Amino acid sequence: MGGDLEGRVFLNPAVFDGFRLRSVESVLVHNDGSIDLGPPAAFNSNLGLKTKKIDAQGLTLVPSFHDTHIHLLSYAANILSYDIRSETVLSKERLAAVIKRAAYIQRDSNMVRLQGLEHNFQEGMSFVDRTLLDEVLPDRPLVIQTTSGHAHILNSVAMDLAGIGEATDEPPGVTFERTLADGKLSGVMYESGDYLEGKLPSLEASSMKEGIILALTSIHSRGVNYLTDATHLNDISRYELISSVIDGFPLHIHLIFMPAVTALRDFVEAGRTYRSTEGKIIMGHSKIMMTNSSGVLHPDRKEFQEMVRESHCQGFPVAIHAVDMGSIDMILDVLQDDYLVGDRIEHASELRDDQIVKMGHLGLSVCTQPSFIYERGDAYLSNQSEVNINSLYRIKSLMEAGVSVSASSDSPVTYPDPMKTIYSAMTRKTKSGNILNPKEGISALDSLKMLTTDSVTISGLPTREFQEPKIFKKEFLVLDINLASGGTNNILKNKVVRIKDFQ
């Protein structure tokens, strides 16, 4: 190697190099963060006095992670909102008290914002409607967003601001819930995020920038260096807001930005084509939102075909939000006649065997969320039939069919936590310890690949940084657990440390 080496030598760690997970005799970590693998003898003759040896038995060294599906501005807004996810028991009285506290904390805000209600998954939550919200806060606009982001609950002041009344027609794809007693609007609205944007007061730009910085800092602290914003509302203004923050963000983090299919031409006209790069932002797939919450697919087949055709004509593969089997059926039917390399499905939460086979034959990729098993698995087990349970998060089956699968948090639906992703993918355990569809569990190696190598693949990025397994010029992480052993007991307790900061 020539000359004395400075850095640290990790002895007997487990190492994941993007393709293999194995124990090695030693790893030399240079001061610039790059690493060499090899036997101690290969380094000994060149080790200078400044080189420190570390007993790394029981540790795993891995490349930094890529979260392939988040909603950065929503995560930032949620950080600035009042989060009620910590409320394990939320009675009517307790929710009223929480709203009053949130209103006091946000007393200078243009609207009271709460987030984190599991409206679709908690039994006995039917009391959460505008009647309750009006009783607690009758004179200020109030919006509660569910954790998933797919439902909002508004009080009457907020509904008036948004111009929503009893005679207001439901926009395509949006559902206004009505009470059974009198058929009046309950204030609960499904798939309404796009519709409400611009109709309700937004956070000031300075506040949003502060929220973005807090969100990026949180994400980076979990070992994530790459993230993909997969928001179906992504337009030029959102791009410019994120760009104004991330380009000056001091930590090593890059973002892939998926443009909304409805804004695609604006980006192309601005010279922002697929894979083009400006600063720390890379242009990603064209994002299409497919919903079925009202029992009717939106967009319909004809409109969806046009969206796919437009995206492909502009050189963009598509990333399609699809949760249920009905949506997947239509997507597969359309893509078999109009496919572009890189097309992917977001979530694919429920799948049949025949759908998995078709996805493999078409060459589609899937970005899914294993941590939902941990966070929501108990509710799934309580509310779903055995047949439906066996269709959920079929990660192993997808991989065996040749489908590239990446893992993500869908933040802010769940917090960005790669260790929870690894744990959930391996064990299929829920928060209470129940097991959901265990035959779909995967190995530590495949779990790590979902967060690194396979994330690179489905994002359309070059894989060159993984093609030299002996020398890496990449920011590595140290996990305080030997994943090569196959053990899972301490994964959730593990704290990710960047190798340059490890002592």
Side-chain angles (χ1 to χ4, degrees):
M1 294 182 180
D4 286 347
L5 298 174
E6 294 185 5
R8 293 164 293 163
V9 175
F10 285 68
L11 299 173
N12 302 308
V15 176
F16 169 64
D17 63 11
F19 297 106
R20 295 177 294 172
L21 174 62
R22 67 196 191 281
S23 296
V24 300
E25 291 186 62
S26 64
V27 174
L28 174 62
V29 181
H30 298 274
N31 288 341
D32 67 357
S34 61
I35 75 172
D36 292 327
L37 309 184
F43 306 133
N44 284 345
S45 61
N46 296 90
L47 294 178
L49 294 176
K50 295 182 180 180
T51 302
K52 178 181 179 181
K53 292 184 178 180
I54 297 172
D55 181 4
Q57 190 154 4
L59 304 179
T60 304
L61 309 185
V62 302
S64 57
F65 300 125
H66 182 167
D67 192 326
T68 50
H69 184 118
I70 72 160
H71 306 283
L72 182 59
L73 295 187
S74 291
Y75 186 29
N78 280 13
I79 289 174
L80 301 173
S81 302
Y82 192 98
D83 193 340
I84 60 178
R85 272 183 275 197
S86 60
E87 299 288 337
T88 54
V89 178
L90 202 58
S91 65
K92 183 176 181 178
E93 292 73 22
R94 179 57 187 161
L95 180 59
V98 167
I99 291 172
K100 290 177 181 177
R101 176 170 174 75
Y104 177 76
I105 293 172
Q106 300 175 36
R107 56 189 177 277
D108 296 324
S109 179
N110 52 18
M111 186 169 69
V112 180
R113 300 170 175 87
L114 290 87
Q115 63 88 20
L117 181 67
E118 290 286 359
H119 187 265
N120 289 332
F121 300 97
Q122 290 174 260
E123 293 184 7
M125 297 295 289
S126 58
F127 60 78
V128 185
D129 58 18
R130 72 162 165 164
T131 300
L132 172 62
L133 272 53
D134 288 348
E135 291 175 2
V136 179
L137 199 67
D139 55 354
R140 293 180 62 193
L142 165 65
V143 175
I144 302 177
Q145 179 177 291
T146 61
T147 305
S148 68
H150 291 289
H152 296 76
I153 305 98
L154 283 64
N155 70 350
S156 293
V157 178
M159 289 177 63
D160 289 343
L161 274 177
I164 300 171
E166 296 298 336
T168 303
D169 293 331
E170 290 182 349
V174 177
T175 301
F176 295 162
E177 185 179 88
R178 293 180 178 272
T179 61
L180 293 175
D182 55 16
K184 292 185 176 181
L185 294 174
S186 69
V188 179
M189 302 177 189
Y190 295 96
E191 310 298 349
S192 55
D194 191 358
Y195 175 70
L196 293 175
E197 186 160 300
K199 293 180 178 293
L200 292 174
S202 58
L203 288 163
E204 295 181 355
S206 59
S207 296
M208 279 303 301
K209 289 181 178 181
E210 177 187 352
I212 293 170
I213 291 171
L214 293 172
L216 291 174
T217 302
S218 173
I219 292 167
H220 187 269
S221 72
R222 301 298 182 122
V224 177
N225 278 34
Y226 289 86
L227 56 150
T228 299
D229 191 302
T231 306
H232 75 287
L233 304 177
N234 277 341
D235 57 12
I236 294 287
S237 65
R238 284 173 170 254
Y239 178 97
E240 291 176 346
L241 175 58
I242 292 173
S243 178
S244 69
V245 177
I246 198 169
D247 283 344
F249 188 68
L251 300 176
H252 176 209
I253 200 162
H254 291 262
L255 181 134
I256 298 172
F257 185 92
M258 288 186 177
V261 64
T262 53
L264 203 56
R265 291 193 179 187
D266 294 334
F267 283 97
V268 173
E269 289 173 2
R272 292 168 179 149
T273 54
Y274 180 56
R275 289 185 179 177
S276 64
T277 301
E278 286 183 295
K280 294 183 177 180
I281 300 184
I282 305 166
M283 289 299 293
H285 293 57
S286 170
K287 179 62 186 291
I288 299 174
M289 187 79 168
M290 178 78 67
T291 63
N292 195 17
S293 61
S294 64
V296 178
L297 288 175
H298 180 78
D300 61 24
R301 181 187 177 88
K302 182 178 179 181
E303 186 180 359
F304 176 60
Q305 285 177 311
E306 289 299 321
M307 289 177 170
V308 172
R309 184 178 297 112
E310 171 70 11
S311 300
H312 290 172
C313 286
Q314 299 291 351
F316 284 78
V318 291
I320 310 158
H321 169 105
V323 175
D324 61 283
M325 296 179 190
S327 298
I328 298 290
D329 281 334
M330 188 169 80
I331 290 167
L332 294 176
D333 196 32
V334 169
L335 292 185
Q336 71 179 353
D337 296 323
D338 190 352
Y339 168 77
L340 184 66
V341 173
D343 286 345
R344 57 188 259 192
I345 296 177
E346 309 299 297
H347 309 298
S349 309
E350 304 174 358
L351 291 171
R352 301 188 308 269
D353 289 345
D354 64 291
Q355 292 175 325
I356 293 172
V357 171
K358 289 178 182 177
M359 291 164 75
H361 287 166
L362 280 172
L364 295 175
S365 300
V366 167
C367 172
T368 193
Q369 295 75 37
S371 58
F372 283 18
I373 297 169
Y374 181 84
E375 295 290 352
R376 295 180 168 183
D378 289 314
Y380 293 147
L381 290 168
S382 297
N383 300 327
Q384 301 283 341
S385 68
E386 183 176 352
V387 172
N388 288 341
I389 291 298
N390 290 335
S391 72
L392 293 175
Y393 300 103
R394 300 189 60 186
I395 300 169
K396 185 175 183 178
S397 294
L398 284 165
M399 290 180 173
E400 289 177 345
V403 177
S404 293
V405 183
S406 75
S408 70
S409 64
D410 199 15
S411 175
V413 180
T414 63
Y415 295 119
D417 186 349
M419 300 313 299
K420 188 177 292 181
T421 293
I422 293 169
Y423 177 82
S424 302
M426 291 178 67
T427 68
R428 309 285 297 193
K429 286 186 178 179
T430 69
K431 190 176 291 187
S432 67
N434 292 315
I435 299 178
L436 188 151
N437 202 3
K439 67 182 181 220
E440 295 292 344
I442 59 175
S443 67
L445 172 61
D446 285 334
S447 299
L448 287 167
K449 288 176 71 175
M450 283 200 303
L451 288 161
T452 53
T453 321
D454 292 337
S455 290
V456 169
T457 299
I458 85 160
S459 299
L461 300 176
T463 57
R464 58 181 177 270
E465 59 194 66
F466 290 104
Q467 296 193 354
E468 296 182 18
K470 291 188 177 180
I471 302 175
F472 305 92
K473 297 290 183 182
K474 187 175 177 69
E475 192 169 352
F476 258 64
L477 311 172
V478 181
L479 310 182
D480 189 17
I481 184 174
N482 182 0
L483 287 175
S485 70
T488 59
N489 290 339
N490 296 316
I491 293 179
L492 290 177
K493 299 177 182 178
N494 185 85
K495 290 187 177 180
V496 175
V497 180
R498 293 182 182 271
I499 203 164
K500 63 181 181 181
D501 301 323
F502 185 82
Q503 301 295 326

